[in-house]
């Protein structure tokens, strides 16, 4: 056995899990924590459940993401889905598949990332259990729970005349990914903020909850504005008409990064990042016209009667060209 840093195979499942669990903090919603066949979570009424899977080679690369960053990203992607329903995150369980050669230090770093993500995004939520298994590649599957204090906010509630609102950033994670994947490593080094949002998202969860309290429909922008806007439009039987002028601010902060890439011969376009890039995990919502919005929210369009196209950019059809987890 490698005494200083054994693999999970050398240490065994029970001891490896014991070391990982030591990084998690107790929460107020848990009656029975990790250690039994299942956790027991307190709920005062209705709750939501969501799950998301991240697969090595398709959703992340180990040469680009640290174990800590993967832990943070796993938390962010799931808690954003809980908040998008108008619920407060309470607990998550994590199923992890790793090769037998994985060092226990990597597992502990991943666990630290999970807790760090919770601490920064929604303190009080808790990791209450999960599973550890050996496989050919890393697979991370998280199930998150949240408590509803009111009715859930669905994708199907948008009404003609509503305003279309974004809480958070657009395009920055997509820019970060293209910078990371560019053969010239100086590009990623020149724009660490965009790279950081791709590797360890920081969605505005509290702002999302404040917006959900006002929204007629809402979702987490995980697959790109063009794709996720179409989901609201189709579910609600309306068309979302976005204004290009309202997106200029999102594009402006990414313009220099796009210029740096094109100057080196790599394809990049800040508008494409804003319209089709996901993983910022911001929130897209519709709210009644005249609603006073929380700080950090911006109106980017309006809901109009259903047309042949689910989403329009000004008066032109906007095709859904975001991420498709099966086809992309």
């Amino acid at each position: 056995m490698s005494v200083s840093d054994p693999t999970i195979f050398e240490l065994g499942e029970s001891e490896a899990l014991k070391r990982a669990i030591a990084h998690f903090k107790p929460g107020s919603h848990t009656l029975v924590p990790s250690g039994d066949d299942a956790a027991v979570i307190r709920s005062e009424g209705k709750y939501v459940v969501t799950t998301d899977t991240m697969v090595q080679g398709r959703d992340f690369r180990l040469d680009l993401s640290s174990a800590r960053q993967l832990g943070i990203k796993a938390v962010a992607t799931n808690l954003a889905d809980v908040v998008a329903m108008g619920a407060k995150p309470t607990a998550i369980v994590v199923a992890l598949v790793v090769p037998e050669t994985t060092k226990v230090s990597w597992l502990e770093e991943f666990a630290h990332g999970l807790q760090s993500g919770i601490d920064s995004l929604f303190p009080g939520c808790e990791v209450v259990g999960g599973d550890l298994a050996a496989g050919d590649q890393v697979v991370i599957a998280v199930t998150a729970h949240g408590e509803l204090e009111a009715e859930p906010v669905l994708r199907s509630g948008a009404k003609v005349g509503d305003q279309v609102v974004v809480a958070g950033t657009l395009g920055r994670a997509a820019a970060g990914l293209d910078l990371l994947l560019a053969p010239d490593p100086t590009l990623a080094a020149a724009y660490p903020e965009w790279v950081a949002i791709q590797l360890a998202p920081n969605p505005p969860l509290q702002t999302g909850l404040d917006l959900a309290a006002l929204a007629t429909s809402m979702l987490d922008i995980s697959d790109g504005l063009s794709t996720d806007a179409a989901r609201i439009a189709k579910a609600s039987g309306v068309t979302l008409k976005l204004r290009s002028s309202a997106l200029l601010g999102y594009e402006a902060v990414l313009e220099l990064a796009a210029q740096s890439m094109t100057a080196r011969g790599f394809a990049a376009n800040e508008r494409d990042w804003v319209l089709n890039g996901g993983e910022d995990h911001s929130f897209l919502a519709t709210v009644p016209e005249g609603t006073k919005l929380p700080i950090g929210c911006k109106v980017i369009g309006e809901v109009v009667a259903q047309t042949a196209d689910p989403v329009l950019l000004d008066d032109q059809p906007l095709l859904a060209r975001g991420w498709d987890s099966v086809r992309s």
Side-chain angles (χ1 to χ4, degrees), residues 103-114:
K103 298 291 187 179
V104 169
S105 59
W106 188 96
L107 179 63
E108 290 191 79
E109 186 184 351
F110 174 73
H112 178 63
L114 292 173

Side-chain angles (χ1 to χ4, degrees), residues 202-240:
N202 185 29
L205 298 190
Q206 187 55 56
T207 303
L209 276 176
D210 295 340
L211 180 59
L214 308 169
T216 55
S217 69
M218 186 165 161
L219 50 62
D220 153 42
I221 308 176
S222 57
D223 297 326
L225 178 62
S226 62
T227 294
D228 290 321
R231 288 172 174 152
I232 286 182
K234 291 176 181 178
S236 298
V238 296
T239 289
L240 269 58

Side-chain angles (χ1 to χ4, degrees), residues 257-268:
Q259 290 176 352
S260 296
M261 290 194 67
T262 55
R264 289 167 172 79
F266 307 122

Side-chain angles (χ1 to χ4, degrees), residues 37 68 101 152 170-171 251 313 324:
D37 287 339
R68 182 178 182 275
T101 54
L170 293 174
E251 297 171 15
L313 183 61
D324 185 311

